[in-house]
Amino acid sequence: MKMGNRIAYRYRLAGFVALFALLPLLASCLGGSGDAVSPTASSPPASSGSAAPGETPNADREPVTLTVLTWFVGPNQALFDKFHEMYPWITIEANTNIDRAVVNNVIAGEKADLVFLDAGLSQWLSGDLLEELTPYIEKDSRIQDAAMAEGFIEAFQTGGKQWVVPYSDIPMWIVVNKEMLHKYGMEMPGLDWTYDDLLEMAKQATDSAANDWGISGMVDEFTSILAMANGSAANYRYMNEDNSMSLANTPAVLEDLKWSQELTTKWHVRPSELEKERLGMQGDPVEVFLQGNSLFTLGADWYLETLKKADFEWDVLPMPVGKAQQATVHQAGAIGIPKSSSHKEEAFLYISFLFSKEAQKTMIENGSGAWVQDQELYDYYAEVPVWQGKNVDAIRMNSEMCCFSRDPSIADLVTLVDTVNGPLAGMITRGGDFSSRIPAVEAYNLKAAETRKALGW
């Protein structure tokens, strides 16, 4: 669908004020038989402090403080601030003192009105700890009216129920060192470049004797994206269509893992673990990229502050085209409301706010993506300072690509990471036979099936 044809965001504050001002007149014209419609909790209030008929003025509202449990705040603070600007009687405070996982804080009885999930839904639902969001969403006109990719909201349902929605949309992209690109006689590739193009360019930029390398990092997340692009896996983390089982034991995914591993073991465009240690290239791949001797690395919004420190020119490319599609992964953090919250309506108001144009613009300003589809938002990528002088079309393209990460719908997520994906990532850079991990994949799939059955998924 072309962005120019997408549905524009329908909320206009002035229109709401006018509508509510006319309601008594409309009712009288109809003979006074109808009850006046009161605004829902998610209707944007006037920031000036005025209120619709029958609604408490903003200045007279009882102040509410929402506590969100999360490991980090980061760019979310800009969203918290924008929300408070729109709803000045509500303040959001973050508790980042997390006990191994956010769910543990809730189990321990800590105050929480919003939670950023970090370990899937299994433990939350087995303990009946989350408020179901389906009834809220069904009557929330802001969410209902927002233009999104088909099936977006449904993709975050589990067992037919909506326990969480995303609080972020962070597409991953490729970062390129333009000085190295020119040093080795290359130009920026087109937006339809392929994984074969990436490999050939990485080969051309690799001179181990000069300590120049085609790739820094690009291991587990990169390989998972490769599997989706090749059609080997339907979802992030090598998962199948409904996230019910890992496909890391299938020939297609095993081949993708081998292709990624051979970036080090065969083509030598990525240094081995021993070479990284000897050359001082250990640690965060983007920090290593800043050394100026790597052509490519994997990027996302959380790397932008680090990339600002670069003393060379860098740019962005979309994830390459695979055998089946051009895919990335949108790191979509999940937000929910604990049943123990004493401010559920206000907490859902924040969730609803995330679907507003104001919130989506704030995400773009932070270097993230926008899941609401709107021409104004599409154009806004070119206006924000973070992308000035960069390949903004690549960022726009990545923002519209498949696929969103859907970790909450993965049963026993921690087991998956610890016993399947983590060991596979180690083998990508250290070498080894991926088929040796098949028993671990099968054991996880069996456990996940049992958990899903117990939870009614």
Side-chain angles (χ1 to χ4, degrees):
M1 177 187 297
K2 293 184 178 179
M3 287 301 302
N5 295 329
R6 287 181 175 151
I7 300 173
Y9 186 83
R10 299 181 181 180
Y11 277 99
R12 294 294 183 271
L13 181 57
F16 266 101
V17 173
L19 173 62
F20 288 123
L22 286 172
L23 281 176
L25 177 60
L26 292 173
S28 64
C29 291
L30 293 173
S33 58
D35 294 331
V37 180
S38 62
T40 64
S42 61
S43 299
S47 57
S48 63
S50 61
E55 191 176 53
T56 305
N58 294 353
D60 297 333
R61 290 176 182 266
E62 190 71 25
V64 173
T65 298
L66 301 177
T67 300
V68 57
L69 293 177
T70 175
W71 284 96
F72 71 101
V73 177
N76 291 289
Q77 187 60 54
L79 288 164
F80 297 164
D81 293 343
K82 176 61 69 173
F83 178 72
H84 180 66
E85 179 184 325
M86 292 175 66
Y87 305 95
W89 66 94
I90 307 176
T91 302
I92 296 181
E93 294 182 351
N95 177 1
T96 58
N97 186 22
I98 304 303
D99 178 17
R100 293 168 290 128
V102 170
V103 68
N104 293 331
N105 292 55
V106 174
I107 292 173
E110 285 194 45
K111 171 181 169 54
D113 302 295
L114 292 162
V115 288
F116 287 7
L117 275 70
D118 55 5
L121 274 172
S122 303
Q123 193 173 357
W124 291 92
L125 297 189
S126 62
D128 192 27
L129 299 173
L130 284 180
E131 182 84 356
E132 187 188 349
L133 301 181
T134 309
Y136 295 83
I137 291 172
E138 287 177 345
K139 65 182 181 181
D140 186 88
S141 55
R142 175 154 51 195
I143 296 178
Q144 295 298 323
D145 289 350
M148 296 171 279
E150 185 177 354
F152 175 80
I153 287 289
E154 292 78 8
F156 293 90
Q157 293 178 356
T158 307
K161 295 182 178 181
Q162 198 90 41
W163 302 102
V164 297
V165 297
Y167 66 79
S168 63
D169 173 359
I170 308 175
M172 305 204 77
W173 21 265
I174 298 292
V175 192
V176 56
N177 180 333
K178 294 187 76 172
E179 292 186 13
M180 275 195 72
L181 196 71
H182 299 148
K183 175 181 178 179
Y184 287 95
M186 294 180 285
E187 298 295 331
M188 287 279 283
L191 299 178
D192 59 348
W193 72 316
T194 68
Y195 281 91
D196 288 339
D197 294 331
L198 181 148
L199 176 56
E200 291 306 312
M201 294 176 71
K203 288 180 187 178
Q204 194 166 330
T206 296
D207 181 355
S208 56
N211 194 24
D212 280 350
W213 301 91
I215 289 173
S216 171
M218 293 171 60
V219 181
D220 48 347
E221 291 161 322
F222 172 80
T223 311
S224 183
I225 295 170
L226 170 68
M228 293 189 293
N230 283 343
S232 308
N235 277 305
Y236 184 49
R237 302 192 191 276
Y238 316 117
M239 298 299 284
N240 67 344
E241 187 68 37
D242 64 355
N243 272 342
S244 62
M245 67 172 59
S246 170
L247 300 177
N249 58 345
T250 61
V253 172
L254 290 170
E255 186 63 28
D256 292 331
L257 287 162
K258 181 182 177 183
W259 190 94
S260 183
Q261 184 187 64
E262 287 182 345
L263 295 173
T264 296
T265 60
K266 180 178 180 180
W267 304 116
H268 202 217
V269 298
R270 179 176 56 207
S272 68
E273 293 299 313
L274 288 176
E275 286 170 322
K276 287 195 293 184
E277 184 176 0
R278 176 170 58 84
L279 297 169
M281 299 179 72
Q282 292 179 303
D284 185 276
V286 175
E287 291 284 359
V288 172
F289 179 79
L290 291 188
Q291 295 177 10
N293 58 340
S294 303
L295 180 62
F296 295 130
T297 193
L298 195 62
D301 77 346
W302 59 82
Y303 286 128
L304 288 171
E305 284 300 314
T306 302
L307 287 167
K308 288 178 182 177
K309 298 183 293 184
D311 59 4
F312 55 85
E313 186 182 2
W314 59 271
D315 210 336
V316 295
L317 286 165
M319 295 303 300
V321 179
K323 297 174 183 177
Q325 63 177 333
Q326 194 165 12
T328 186
V329 62
H330 298 246
Q331 299 286 4
I335 187 171
I337 302 174
K339 276 195 171 180
S340 58
S341 168
S342 55
H343 302 294
K344 293 185 178 69
E345 292 295 330
E346 292 85 355
F348 184 78
L349 183 54
Y350 180 75
I351 289 175
S352 173
F353 154 79
L354 293 172
F355 290 77
S356 70
K357 187 180 292 184
E358 293 85 355
Q360 297 283 303
K361 280 189 171 183
T362 301
M363 294 178 192
I364 293 173
E365 291 165 5
N366 289 337
S368 305
W371 66 71
V372 172
Q373 299 175 336
D374 181 277
Q375 183 65 47
E376 185 179 344
L377 294 174
Y378 185 80
D379 294 339
Y380 197 59
Y381 285 98
E383 300 175 23
V384 297
V386 68
W387 298 127
Q388 293 301 305
K390 303 301 181 188
N391 188 3
V392 70
D393 285 337
I395 296 300
R396 286 170 168 159
M397 176 177 281
N398 260 46
S399 73
E400 297 187 308
M401 279 185 203
C402 172
C403 306
F404 279 83
S405 61
R406 296 163 50 211
D407 282 352
S409 64
I410 298 177
D412 303 305
L413 177 62
V414 173
T415 301
L416 174 71
V417 173
D418 289 348
T419 66
V420 176
N421 293 49
L424 289 175
M427 294 172 72
I428 289 172
T429 55
R430 293 183 175 87
D433 181 2
F434 293 110
S435 64
S436 67
R437 300 303 305 169
I438 289 178
V441 177
E442 293 174 344
Y444 163 76
N445 285 342
L446 180 62
K447 184 177 190 297
E450 294 171 347
T451 300
R452 290 173 67 86
K453 183 177 179 180
L455 292 173
W457 294 2

